[in-house]
Amino acid sequence: MAQTHALQALVEALKGLPGVGSKSASRMAYHLLQHDRQAATVLAAALTQAVRDVRHCSQCHTFTELEVCETCSDALRDGGQLCVVETPADQSAIERTGTYKGHYFVLMGKLSPLDGVGPKDIGLLKLKQRVQLGTVREVILATNFTAEGEATAHVISEMLRAFGIRVSRLARGVPAGSELEYVDLGTIAHALVDRR
Ligand code: ZN
């Protein structure tokens, strides 16, 4: 059966998502159109709204609908400490330990030359500008303990070397190759305290 143009376009759009191949894309499209038109409408509206309203926080680069996100505008947090994480999920993992009360910078990714992800794509210029303001005393590098996370931490620490601030790395209690999101809270809390 030849696909209609609209169906073909939907399958192509779904195929553009990470980890979705041709077969899954077709299955999703058929499912939505055949069995769950209500969900399809909700999904379309949610996508349209998110694309319109969600942007990057002007300070920490995370997703927000505000100019400055709620974490950055929290007056009780210490703006002298800046914890650099790869994703909002990693930020949440550190937040859940309840031991960190500083600010964050969320890269929304990691350096990955093979995938064409360079310093500009993970907001390193914005991070540099933030540090140049002179209010940050310490940057804590809490990127994941994967090869790319380590490389990202290395590049950032080199970039910040000239600023004469303390740059520390989450301690090695966290197993090599692991993503913070999946590490237990006690381990992250210790790694924060023991940072070097
Ligand atoms: Zn923010």
Side-chain angles (χ1 to χ4, degrees):
M1 184 193 73
Q3 290 188 337
T4 72
H5 177 72
L7 183 53
Q8 184 69 46
L10 175 59
V11 171
E12 284 302 317
L14 289 167
K15 240 167 70 180
L17 297 172
V20 179
S22 296
K23 263 191 188 158
S24 314
S26 298
R27 220 166 17 225
M28 284 184 221
Y30 296 155
H31 171 79
L32 287 169
L33 296 174
Q34 178 68 33
H35 301 293
D36 214 344
R37 292 217 167 204
Q38 172 75 27
T41 307
V42 170
L43 177 64
L47 262 177
T48 304
Q49 191 184 0
V51 169
R52 190 188 61 213
D53 296 342
V54 177
R55 50 163 147 175
H56 291 289
C57 168
S58 65
Q59 290 194 23
C60 74
H61 201 231
T62 196
F63 282 142
T64 177
E65 290 180 40
L66 308 164
E67 166 68 19
V68 176
C69 77
E70 285 174 7
T71 309
C72 288
S73 29
D74 183 347
L76 296 175
R77 303 193 75 108
D78 178 5
Q81 279 188 318
L82 197 60
C83 182
V84 179
V85 291
E86 289 180 20
T87 64
D90 294 337
Q91 179 182 0
S92 301
I94 290 177
E95 277 298 285
R96 282 197 302 274
T97 67
T99 53
Y100 180 71
K101 290 294 171 217
H103 280 211
Y104 288 92
F105 190 88
V106 188
L107 301 169
M108 308 298 287
K110 58 197 172 247
L111 287 177
S112 183
L114 292 178
D115 299 318
V117 182
K120 198 167 75 269
D121 304 301
I122 59 170
L124 291 196
L125 186 63
K126 200 187 266 184
L127 173 60
K128 198 172 175 181
Q129 287 165 345
R130 175 79 178 270
V131 172
Q132 271 167 338
L133 293 176
T135 50
V136 177
R137 300 183 311 272
E138 177 184 12
V139 170
I140 302 161
L141 300 171
T143 51
N144 290 318
F145 288 96
T146 57
E148 287 170 334
E150 295 279 20
T152 304
H154 178 73
V155 167
I156 295 174
S157 68
E158 287 296 307
M159 180 182 88
L160 299 179
R161 190 192 285 267
F163 294 98
I165 52 170
R166 183 176 180 211
V167 178
S168 52
R169 178 82 171 109
L170 218 58
R172 271 282 185 196
V174 179
S178 63
E179 306 199 0
L180 279 189
E181 192 182 339
Y182 306 110
V183 175
D184 72 278
L185 297 185
T187 304
I188 297 178
H190 274 119
L192 262 174
V193 173
D194 296 339
R195 65 185 182 269
R196 286 160 299 165

